[in-house]
Amino acid sequence: GREDNVITDVSFTSKEPVWDIDEDELDQDFEEEFDNLDDEQKSEVLRKYVNQTELTELRPRIEKVVSEIKQHFEKQVEPNGYKAMTVTPSRRAAVLYADELKKYWDEDEVDAVITTKPEDGSMLKKYGKSDEDETNVVDDFKEKGNNLKMLVVCDKLLTGFDAPILQTMYLDKSM
């Protein structure tokens, strides 16, 4: 498969997650907020309301990760004429990433492809697309001369997505 370019090499670079959290301060704030609960009840609050996805959606963290993505993309990907995809752990995170990336790049250079539901709030619906609009976004992304250079996804386009122009995937999701 390599001889006829059906199979290409894949390289993987792992980075430590960006977690700028003052654990002592966080523990102190938690204790002050829930000082009326016993240890078992506090554990239940943590199990119910704090998870990795919630933490990955923290705006200061996303701002730092997007800054690193921008630097890498502009130095390593874009100069070679390629495009990239950012894969997030949730639809909400995809919207936050897309919005943050648009602070660096023009509106037509970044888009999110996510599933939306009628009951979703306006935050998610702003990236909601009809099937036809989604197909057009994907086609624009695959086109070499098109301005769209970064797609942000959660669950879509992860398998079977044939886009030779896609060189880099920034993963912020457990796979």
Side-chain angles (χ1 to χ4, degrees), residues 21-129:
I21 298 172
D22 182 338
E23 291 182 37
D24 293 334
E25 182 179 341
L26 188 61
D27 288 342
Q28 182 179 350
D29 289 347
F30 181 81
E31 288 300 324
E32 288 174 11
E33 183 70 27
F34 298 101
D35 66 343
N36 59 325
L37 302 179
D38 63 35
D39 288 344
E40 188 174 316
Q41 291 170 317
K42 288 177 185 175
S43 292
E44 178 61 26
V45 167
L46 289 172
R47 268 192 308 279
K48 188 172 181 180
Y49 296 105
V50 179
N51 60 52
Q52 185 174 353
T53 299
E54 294 286 331
L55 293 174
T56 60
E57 293 173 352
L58 295 173
R59 285 186 193 268
R61 180 183 176 279
I62 289 175
E63 290 168 0
K64 287 181 181 181
V65 173
V66 165
S67 176
E68 290 185 18
I69 288 172
K70 176 193 177 294
Q71 289 173 15
H72 180 269
F73 182 85
E74 290 178 349
K75 187 176 182 182
Q76 302 291 327
V77 182
E78 191 172 35
N80 297 316
Y82 289 104
K83 299 182 180 187
M85 180 184 294
T86 299
V87 182
T88 67
S90 69
R91 296 178 308 136
R92 182 175 187 277
V95 169
L96 293 170
Y97 267 86
D99 288 347
E100 189 64 27
L101 285 160
K102 287 180 179 184
K103 291 179 183 177
Y104 294 105
W105 294 320
D106 292 340
E107 185 77 20
D108 64 341
E109 294 179 314
V110 178
D111 207 345
V113 177
I114 60 170
T115 302
T116 55
K117 304 172 191 166
E119 65 271 15
D120 286 337
S122 60
M123 178 187 183
L124 295 177
K125 284 186 176 180
K126 73 178 172 181
Y127 287 102
K129 296 170 181 54

Side-chain angles (χ1 to χ4, degrees), residues 151-170:
L151 280 182
V152 184
V153 301
C154 171
D155 295 320
K156 293 189 167 210
L157 309 177
L158 297 180
T159 58
F161 183 57
D162 184 21
I165 199 153
L166 173 62
Q167 181 193 45
T168 303
M169 290 180 78
Y170 301 101

Side-chain angles (χ1 to χ4, degrees), residues 111-154:
D111 207 345
V113 177
I114 60 170
T115 302
T116 55
K117 304 172 191 166
E119 65 271 15
D120 286 337
S122 60
M123 178 187 183
L124 295 177
K125 284 186 176 180
K126 73 178 172 181
Y127 287 102
K129 296 170 181 54
S130 67
D131 289 344
E132 182 181 345
D133 289 342
E134 186 176 304
T135 298
N136 290 338
V137 167
V138 170
D139 289 345
D140 287 348
F141 181 76
K142 291 178 176 182
E143 190 179 309
K144 188 172 181 90
N146 191 284
N147 286 345
L148 183 59
K149 59 186 173 184
M150 177 74 69
L151 280 182
V152 184
V153 301
C154 171

